Amino acid sequence: MMSAPKDSNKASRGPATSPAPWQSSEGTSSSGHPTSQALIRANTSQKIDHLGKWSISTYKFTRQYLSERLGKGTRTVDKELEGQILLLKETQVKYVNVLKLAKQMTNHLQNMVQSQRGLADAFADLGVKSSELQGDLNCNAEYQRLLVKNGEVLLGALKFFTSNLTTLVHKTIEDSIMTAKAYEFARIEYDAYRTDLESIQAGPRTAATVLKAKEAKQKYDVQKEKFG
């Protein structure tokens, strides 16, 4: 009795595979969530847009800065504030010099105290070995010890003063200087957009320039709010 032939097609079939998830042309999967390609495109687009805005802003800032330095551009002036900033910078220079001198004095005094301590020990040692001059030598040793004691008090006060002055110069005043620099940066950026707006408004009025002036006014208002 002959057995029925096996189905060769059935035997050659591999394991069943699930169909690939469906993706729409809009970048969403069948579940409605955005695909990885769509997320990458969106992220790249945001970065390019941010880079474009940054480039334009940097160009405007540089142009305004150079224009002012060459004496061709106009700048917004707050005389009272700029006077305070100038005074702050001058004060910082003076305090830096005081700090430098205070550190020098501290080092000199420290060396002197060490020398006085050495003299006190030397006089005391000589007093032990020279009986005929023992009284004078011991007296000199005591004077030097007294000078060392007073010198250490002064040295401690100088170190405390120098520490506080260092904080004032390199922290308090420096923070104020950085704030002033941030103000100057914002001022230049504001003037750059103001100059653009004034330049467009001073030109011929056409449909294109009216639209351009409107856009420039919107950007100027944003900068004005930030600067103000």
Side-chain angles (χ1 to χ4, degrees):
M1 183 176 179
M2 296 179 62
S3 60
K6 295 181 179 179
D7 188 349
S8 59
N9 291 335
K10 185 177 181 181
S12 62
R13 291 194 190 115
T17 57
S18 58
W22 173 83
Q23 295 181 355
S24 71
S25 59
E26 286 78 10
T28 56
S29 63
S30 57
S31 61
H33 298 293
T35 63
S36 58
Q37 292 89 343
L39 292 174
I40 292 173
R41 283 197 298 269
N43 189 34
T44 303
S45 177
Q46 289 177 356
K47 289 182 178 179
I48 293 174
D49 183 58
H50 177 74
L51 179 61
K53 290 180 179 179
W54 177 84
S55 300
I56 293 172
S57 179
T58 302
Y59 166 74
K60 290 179 182 293
F61 178 91
T62 305
R63 184 185 61 186
Q64 178 67 23
Y65 177 83
L66 293 176
S67 179
E68 290 179 8
R69 290 297 178 272
L70 295 173
K72 297 180 180 179
T74 59
R75 61 192 299 269
T76 302
V77 178
D78 186 334
K79 292 184 178 180
E80 182 179 357
L81 181 59
E82 292 194 0
Q84 292 175 353
I85 292 174
L86 180 61
L87 179 61
L88 180 63
K89 291 179 179 179
E90 292 175 350
T91 302
Q92 185 188 35
V93 171
K94 293 177 181 178
Y95 272 115
V96 166
N97 185 51
V98 172
L99 178 60
K100 177 184 176 182
L101 294 173
K103 287 182 176 180
Q104 289 178 354
M105 184 176 179
T106 301
N107 291 333
H108 292 327
L109 181 60
Q110 193 163 13
N111 291 332
M112 187 174 71
V113 168
Q114 289 176 352
S115 298
Q116 289 169 338
R117 186 179 290 109
L119 277 173
D121 293 339
F123 283 135
D125 184 57
L126 286 172
V128 173
K129 297 177 181 179
S130 303
S131 57
E132 66 277 5
L133 297 174
Q134 187 175 28
D136 292 335
L137 291 171
N138 287 340
C139 184
N140 285 330
E142 285 301 318
Y143 284 147
Q144 294 301 323
R145 291 192 185 100
L146 182 61
L147 289 173
V148 168
K149 183 178 180 180
N150 292 333
E152 287 177 340
V153 173
L154 179 57
L155 191 60
L158 270 174
K159 287 182 177 179
F160 179 76
F161 171 75
T162 303
S163 175
N164 287 337
L165 191 57
T166 300
T167 302
L168 175 65
V169 171
H170 296 298
K171 179 61 179 174
T172 308
I173 296 181
E174 188 61 30
D175 286 349
S176 300
I177 294 293
M178 292 303 296
T179 301
K181 288 181 179 179
Y183 163 80
E184 180 65 7
F185 184 93
R187 197 274 307 161
I188 294 176
E189 193 172 27
Y190 162 78
D191 278 338
Y193 283 91
R194 176 186 57 78
T195 301
D196 273 356
L197 177 61
E198 291 175 353
S199 176
I200 295 171
Q201 290 176 338
R205 293 183 62 83
T206 64
T209 56
V210 168
L211 180 60
K212 195 173 181 180
K214 183 178 180 181
E215 293 176 353
K217 181 66 167 58
Q218 291 175 346
K219 294 178 181 178
Y220 164 77
D221 288 339
V222 172
Q223 294 300 323
K224 183 179 180 180
E225 185 175 351
K226 288 168 60 178
F227 178 66

